[in-house]
Amino acid sequence: MLAEIITIGDEILIGQIVDTNSAWMAAKLNNIGIRIKQISSVSDDRQHILTALAEAANRADVILITGGLGPTKDDITKKTLAEYFNVRMVENKDALANVEAIFRRIRGTLTELLEVNKQQALVPENCEVILNDNGTAPGMWFNHNGKIYMSMPGVPHEMMYMMEEKVIPKLKASLKLPFIIHKTILTVGEGESYLAQRIADIEDVLPPYIKLAYLPKLGQVRLRLSGYGENENLLSDKVNEFAARIVERVKNVVAAEEDITIEKAILNYMAAKGLTLSTAESCTGGYIAHLITSNAGSSKVYLGGAVSYSNEIKESVLGVKHETLAQFGAVSEESVREMVEGALTNFNSDYAIAVTGIAGPDGGTPDKPVGTVWISAARVGKTVVKKLTFGNKRRQNIERSAITALNMLNTLLHDYDK
């Protein structure tokens, strides 16, 4: 069963907003056994929308549309759908009652209900209205020539609620869907090609209903096994069997056996062991702390950190020696060692990570060019340090430094287990 997602709106095409809807929808559809054939973004243009709908119908069984359902003149999705299906626009009493109820709830009266708001209840006559409990624009479900079309608001929280509570249950009830079983293994510190070589013989004997995908990202590779079929128990058993074989083969670089980030894997491991963590950041400016604290429950592990841009803060908060900074500079092995060990001592944590460097685009010198970064991870009794030289892109340098620091911490945590 194949689906296509069409997002409508000039604001997407000019980069004013990022289309997060499609990725979210694709994940939800994949979970119920509907595979995405294509994702398209089109402008608020009648012919552009008509062409996209016609082309999607040639590729997919389910066409999901978001955007262009607002009350203003540039929102033309409903009218264009009516033209596409060659039907009239009619007022839907349930949709109108929903608009009125929302205005009463928000404004306490209907006196401010404008004609354009009432027109939200106008829909193509061949659609089944899916009421929007979080906004005035109704969803519209069409069955046409053996295809399902579903038009939803582009506002993310309105679309998400409608999808989860109404559209997905309706799709599952309307279609005979296969089972899809996913298993993700997060690896760190080894490149995609090396991993592929190590598990080549396992990949070669995968049955045709199980696929292996390599998903690399900044020092990490997620290995995702996906099984497709009618027998859920068989799929689950086989996917888990091959996942176990892969984990056993590359266990030295496995950080998690689920689809989570490296920082979440670290937090889960440290929480289970009752361990604590602190950070000392210079060039990353608190980005590592942000990644860690973005996860619920991080307070069980993360005690705090210092964003020590100035040498004075490195000295007063982290205990870096003035002589060290004067002789070797802030961007040096000696300074990052004292930063990480100062974090361990002053925050009284079991583990710490520290980063100092030149993120750019300026500030480099001949012996310390832009992109030079020193990173350290430590526990009492052991400190590891690594020097890296990245490029001159500030954002990339910050992200790469943070992920490398987390990867080093992960290695140090598991090295202690051995």
Side-chain angles (χ1 to χ4, degrees), residues 142-195:
F142 303 86
N143 276 302
H144 182 76
N145 290 341
K147 309 285 184 179
I148 292 173
Y149 299 77
M150 180 65 214
S151 177
M152 292 173 285
V155 180
H157 79 274
E158 294 182 26
M159 178 278 295
M160 289 176 181
Y161 180 89
M162 191 176 289
M163 274 285 289
E164 288 194 309
E165 299 297 322
K166 300 180 180 183
V167 176
I168 288 177
K170 192 170 176 62
L171 286 169
K172 291 169 73 174
S174 303
L175 303 169
K176 181 175 174 55
L177 298 173
F179 291 102
I180 296 182
I181 303 291
H182 293 296
K183 177 72 175 179
T184 299
I185 302 161
L186 174 65
T187 69
V188 298
E190 189 154 280
E192 178 183 6
S193 58
Y194 291 100
L195 281 171

Side-chain angles (χ1 to χ4, degrees), residues 186-190 215-222 262 403 407:
L186 174 65
T187 69
V188 298
E190 189 154 280
L215 307 170
K217 179 186 177 182
L218 288 178
Q220 308 165 37
V221 180
R222 284 181 296 152
I262 182 61
I403 293 302
N407 288 352

Side-chain angles (χ1 to χ4, degrees), residues 178-346:
F179 291 102
I180 296 182
I181 303 291
H182 293 296
K183 177 72 175 179
T184 299
I185 302 161
L186 174 65
T187 69
V188 298
E190 189 154 280
E192 178 183 6
S193 58
Y194 291 100
L195 281 171
Q197 186 176 29
R198 290 179 67 183
I199 62 174
D201 59 318
I202 300 175
E203 187 173 4
D204 286 343
V205 296
L206 287 173
Y209 52 85
I210 297 179
K211 306 298 181 185
L212 175 62
Y214 295 81
L215 307 170
K217 179 186 177 182
L218 288 178
Q220 308 165 37
V221 180
R222 284 181 296 152
L223 303 173
R224 189 189 65 214
L225 286 163
S226 300
Y228 303 86
E230 306 295 329
N231 188 322
E232 184 178 17
N233 291 331
L234 173 64
L235 281 179
S236 181
D237 290 345
K238 282 295 183 182
V239 167
N240 288 331
E241 173 192 329
F242 280 98
R245 291 174 63 180
I246 291 172
V247 168
E248 178 62 26
R249 180 70 59 82
V250 298
K251 59 186 176 183
N252 64 307
V253 294
V254 172
E257 294 180 47
E258 55 183 318
D259 192 9
I260 56 175
T261 61
I262 182 61
E263 57 269 23
K264 179 61 174 171
I266 288 170
L267 287 170
N268 288 351
Y269 179 87
M270 295 187 75
K273 298 281 187 178
L275 300 171
T276 56
L277 173 66
S278 62
T279 55
E281 300 182 64
S282 183
C283 66
T284 46
Y287 183 63
I288 297 172
H290 162 72
L291 291 176
I292 293 167
T293 58
S294 293
N295 294 277
S298 57
S299 60
K300 295 177 183 177
V301 171
Y302 186 62
L303 300 181
V307 179
S308 54
Y309 253 47
S310 72
N311 286 353
E312 291 77 14
I313 297 299
K314 289 181 176 70
E315 292 181 41
S316 62
V317 176
L318 295 172
V320 178
K321 296 183 184 69
H322 180 79
E323 295 78 12
T324 301
L325 292 167
Q327 182 176 354
F328 301 104
V331 181
S332 65
E333 177 180 357
E334 292 77 7
S335 290
V336 82
R337 278 184 180 275
E338 293 186 16
M339 286 173 66
V340 78
E341 289 166 5
L344 274 179
T345 300
N346 295 334

Side-chain angles (χ1 to χ4, degrees), residues 3-7 19 21-27 29 36-42 59 64:
E4 181 154 338
I5 298 171
I6 301 172
T7 58
D19 172 28
N21 282 352
S22 294
W24 186 89
M25 292 166 68
L29 291 169
I36 305 302
K37 180 68 174 179
Q38 183 165 314
I39 296 174
S40 305
S41 293
V42 301
R59 287 187 290 258
L64 296 169

